Amino acid sequence: MEAMIERCAGLDVHQETVVACVLFGQLDKKPKTSIETFSTTTTGLLALSDWLATLQVSDVVMESTGVYWKPIWNILEGSFHLVLANARHVKNVPGRKTDVKDAEWLAKLLRCGLIESNFVPPEDIRDLRDLTRYRKKLIHHRTSEQNRIHKILQDANIKLTSVLSDILVYRDAVSLKRF
């Protein structure tokens, strides 16, 4: 494999820790390796960012497993060229069983330009997606509760829906007339 990036890092991300492996050196020679473990707290992630900056890392790769990559991405986003790798594309290699080996493997793949990055939208779009998904979930919960109330009333032989199109809107209208 031919090296393409002089200073890169591979991150093996977990819920509580991040193992970082930095490969650096001339492209035509075997790279030097530096490995550290950081916590996933904000303080730990800022320490990771500082450590990567101290080693003059330009590119960083991590796997897109679950949601654990998101806080790390948010901290490192402005300082490094980030690559989010699909876990299926990089995990199908036998023999890598430790966090350190995973981080080193990711760094080696990135150094040789063998990792295709997943699309990560800009921060404002990610925030908007989070808000719309949360709104959708709230609406779903509200509808579910409305249906539950309707079912309880039907089971009690209270047939309000034969008179009203929406029993909850009527309740709100009655409470507004009191004021």
Side-chain angles (χ1 to χ4, degrees):
M1 295 190 295
E2 186 178 323
M4 299 173 69
I5 302 171
E6 280 190 22
R7 294 178 176 270
C8 63
L11 305 180
D12 189 41
V13 179
H14 299 281
Q15 183 176 1
E16 296 180 7
T17 61
V18 178
V19 177
C21 173
V22 174
L23 299 179
F24 57 96
Q26 296 179 354
L27 296 177
D28 59 344
K29 296 184 179 178
K30 184 177 179 181
K32 296 176 186 169
T33 304
S34 182
I35 299 172
E36 292 284 332
T37 301
F38 298 91
S39 74
T40 55
T41 62
T42 302
T43 305
L45 296 178
L46 290 172
L48 168 65
S49 179
D50 292 343
W51 181 71
L52 293 171
T54 301
L55 293 173
Q56 299 175 343
V57 170
S58 60
D59 295 67
V60 178
V61 64
M62 66 187 94
E63 292 177 336
S64 61
T65 309
V67 296
Y68 299 139
W69 63 272
K70 289 181 179 184
I72 298 162
W73 186 278
N74 292 336
I75 296 286
L76 301 180
E77 187 172 21
S79 305
F80 306 97
H81 175 257
L82 298 175
V83 175
L84 186 63
N86 186 324
R88 286 186 192 155
H89 296 156
V90 294
K91 282 281 189 191
N92 292 333
V93 178
R96 295 179 307 110
K97 302 298 182 206
T98 66
D99 299 342
V100 172
K101 285 184 180 179
D102 279 349
E104 192 172 6
W105 176 249
L106 286 170
K108 284 179 183 177
L109 291 175
L110 180 64
R111 183 171 166 90
C112 296
L114 297 175
I115 297 181
E116 186 177 325
S117 180
N118 286 347
F119 172 72
V120 178
E123 184 178 6
D124 55 343
I125 301 298
R126 291 193 311 262
D127 291 343
L128 184 61
R129 281 181 173 182
D130 288 342
L131 288 173
T132 55
R133 286 177 183 152
Y134 182 61
R135 181 180 181 272
K136 184 176 178 180
K137 184 181 280 189
L138 288 175
I139 290 170
H140 175 73
H141 286 307
R142 183 186 70 189
T143 304
S144 177
E145 287 302 311
Q146 287 174 342
N147 290 339
R148 191 173 136 281
I149 290 170
H150 179 258
K151 182 184 179 306
I152 290 171
L153 291 173
Q154 289 293 328
D155 289 347
N157 205 22
I158 300 172
K159 309 290 184 185
L160 289 179
T161 54
S162 60
V163 181
L164 301 170
S165 60
D166 189 349
I167 58 175
L168 296 177
V169 171
Y170 178 73
R171 184 204 70 209
D172 293 339
V174 170
S175 63
L176 287 175
K177 285 183 181 179
R178 291 181 189 164
F179 295 106

